[in-house]
Amino acid sequence: GAHRGPDPDDGSAGERALRALLLAVSLARPTPVAPVLPPVLIPRLSAPVLPAPAVLFAPTLPAGRVYSAVQAPVSPDESLFAGLVGRPPRSVVGDYDNTLADRGPNGLSLPVSNELVAALARLLRGGIPVILASSRHYEVADAPFPMDLKTFIDRLPRHLRRNLLVSGGVGSELVGFDAQGRPIQLWSQGWGAEEAVIRAIAVQAAIDVGAELQTVLSPGQLILRLPQGDTRGPELARAVAARLQAAGFLYKVLQNKEFVYFSRSDKGQGLKGALAALPRPVAEADLLVLGDEFGLPDGGDAALAAAVPMARSVSVGDAHSERLPPGVQRLRVKGGAGALLVLKAVLAGLGL
């Protein structure tokens, strides 16, 4: 889906909403601050969902005074944060590009912020399984542009990676990690005898569009990249889809700005494989799915929501998407800033 950078006003509003919610939590736990409202007890994992947690307006308060709880109007973002604090997930599924990592000026993703890396590390340290569901593979050799997750994962402490899974290549590989943080490829789908045909399709699509393309052909996935700023992404996607159909392939072609790609699998199938590989099962209702491209019919993350319809899904993108799958909540704060707010609410609910 289309993506824009974080809006400073949206970010500050999201931070205020989260600070207000966290203030409500801190005021509610030990002793009531004032008799106007009863204390709001935030449950742990096994507790029931709060019916309607109070959200407090939290300006900067001078020290030395006792303040009453003042109930403020609840925005959709505040309601989302309250739900995550009141009933935090037992596992987090996250896309990478334009979700954890923001898009840079050259069209490629910027490094994930240190705050987000730290938040993910706290989840892993607390025993919460994290699944990265990305179009990127864990590692890609000789790519003309960065398309791996290894560089990012290397920033996470080795001893915490045992709680991490990578469903990479749009679901075409699954990678886990041992107790020392070393990667273990659990399965991978290669092209086999189809590889020569897939390479030829990439060449023909470039000729069809009349553009010079960068190509990454990895096991089970093909990625084509137009020059930065080239707006012929939809045209290239149609050309690739036509060539695939003519060759008898039914792979779904996805497009995001100058990137066009397809895989032998999809993110939903990859997610189901990752959930089956977890050492302890996690119910769909206890999953949180975080992405940026849920827009129907062709959003890259829509398959995640379809695979686990009982899960809570949050979009930090989809600014211009008209239709989202049922149950997907759209956050006003976009990209990495929005993802960080979501994870802060989850950590607060888990007490981590």
Side-chain angles (χ1 to χ4, degrees):
H3 174 72
R4 61 178 176 83
D7 186 315
D9 293 333
D10 285 355
S12 60
E15 288 282 5
R16 285 197 299 272
L18 187 56
R19 282 199 301 271
L21 183 62
L22 297 183
L23 176 60
V25 174
S26 65
L27 291 177
R29 276 177 177 157
T31 308
V33 177
V36 177
L37 291 176
V40 181
L41 299 178
I42 302 300
R44 297 296 182 183
L45 284 172
S46 59
V49 182
L50 286 176
V55 179
L56 305 186
F57 173 68
T60 303
L61 302 179
R65 292 183 59 188
V66 177
Y67 291 85
S68 298
V70 180
Q71 190 156 2
V74 179
S75 74
D77 284 6
E78 289 170 335
S79 176
L80 188 155
F81 295 146
L84 293 173
V85 172
R87 186 172 66 84
R90 295 178 183 270
S91 180
V92 174
V93 181
D95 174 45
Y96 182 80
D97 295 287
N98 301 324
T99 299
L100 300 179
D102 290 317
R103 180 181 171 91
N106 63 350
L108 300 175
S109 288
L110 299 169
V112 176
S113 71
N114 290 334
E115 279 190 292
L116 256 175
V117 173
L120 289 167
R122 287 169 64 188
L123 286 174
L124 295 172
R125 186 177 294 111
I128 302 300
V130 174
I131 299 170
L132 294 177
S134 175
S135 59
R136 297 180 177 228
H137 281 264
Y138 170 70
E139 194 167 17
V140 180
D142 303 322
F145 50 87
M147 272 308 297
D148 70 284
L149 291 169
K150 182 180 184 301
T151 304
F152 164 65
I153 291 171
D154 284 348
R155 297 170 62 190
L156 294 168
R158 284 184 171 274
H159 68 284
L160 300 181
R161 297 177 202 170
R162 64 185 181 276
N163 290 324
L164 177 68
L165 286 172
V166 174
S167 176
V170 196
S172 60
E173 74 167 3
L174 183 63
V175 176
F177 298 86
D178 65 16
Q180 286 73 46
R182 294 172 297 205
I184 304 169
Q185 189 169 77
L186 301 177
W187 54 268
S188 175
Q189 297 187 75
W191 288 113
E194 297 176 2
E195 181 167 334
V197 181
I198 297 300
R199 285 187 183 277
I201 285 173
V203 172
Q204 289 299 324
I207 295 172
D208 292 341
V209 176
E212 184 176 343
L213 303 177
Q214 290 180 316
T215 304
V216 177
L217 182 61
S218 52
Q221 184 186 45
L222 175 70
I223 301 174
L224 304 175
R225 184 191 182 204
L226 288 160
Q228 181 187 345
D230 194 319
T231 59
R232 290 176 292 175
E235 182 183 350
L236 177 60
R238 289 191 295 270
V240 172
R243 290 285 177 180
L244 284 171
Q245 186 175 11
F249 297 120
L250 300 178
Y251 302 132
K252 185 173 184 177
V253 178
L254 302 173
Q255 180 256 331
N256 187 342
K257 295 185 170 60
E258 64 264 34
F259 292 92
V260 172
Y261 56 100
F262 63 90
S263 168
R264 293 191 66 180
S265 183
D266 66 38
K267 283 189 176 183
Q269 295 173 14
L271 175 55
K272 288 184 176 181
L275 292 172
L278 291 176
R280 293 181 299 277
V282 177
E284 273 190 27
D286 291 325
L287 287 173
L288 171 66
V289 179
L290 194 56
D292 73 294
E293 281 191 288
F294 290 99
L296 295 172
D298 296 323
D301 298 322
L304 293 175
V308 286
M310 300 300 293
R312 286 174 287 180
S313 296
V314 178
S315 175
V316 293
D318 290 300
H320 305 292
S321 299
E322 295 182 359
R323 293 193 303 127
L324 300 181
V328 176
Q329 295 177 272
R330 189 175 352 214
L331 197 66
R332 288 180 60 218
V333 189
K334 305 302 181 186
L340 180 60
L341 289 176
V342 169
L343 294 188
K344 281 182 176 180
V346 171
L347 289 167
L350 293 168
L352 297 175

